[in-house]
Amino acid sequence: MADHGLTGQLISCHLLEAGGPPLEALSRADARAIAQAVAKLTPVDISETTIIADGKPLKLTVLRPAGAKGVLSGFMFFHGGG
């Protein structure tokens, strides 16, 4: 399943915190290599669901720490398209 940019957004935040360049400043190959390495280190459970918003279906991809139970705080990422 594609990561829909979520992994990239999280990696970009970590790179900036560590004093590195923003993810979008890297070459496509370098950014993809970093994303793949981090994804291997951060196991998650991924599920998809659809809700109705303004009368239209909206597909949601939900990532949770692997094996997490109960209510967790949330982070929402909205991609502008294009």
Side-chain angles (χ1 to χ4, degrees):
M1 179 180 302
D3 76 3
H4 304 283
L6 296 169
T7 302
Q9 182 69 22
L10 295 172
I11 292 168
S12 188
C13 291
H14 290 296
L15 283 173
L16 291 173
E17 288 174 1
L23 194 62
E24 63 271 13
L26 300 175
S27 71
R28 181 177 289 182
D30 288 344
R32 179 167 290 154
I34 290 172
Q36 289 172 340
V38 170
K40 290 178 184 176
L41 298 174
T42 312
V44 295
D45 294 328
I46 301 173
S47 62
E48 291 185 346
T49 190
T50 301
I51 63 171
I52 303 299
D54 293 329
K56 298 178 183 166
L58 178 64
K59 186 169 117 178
L60 304 176
T61 303
V62 180
L63 287 82
R64 294 175 55 93
K69 303 290 182 210
V71 178
L72 301 173
S73 57
F75 171 82
M76 298 176 75
F77 177 77
F78 297 93
H79 188 277

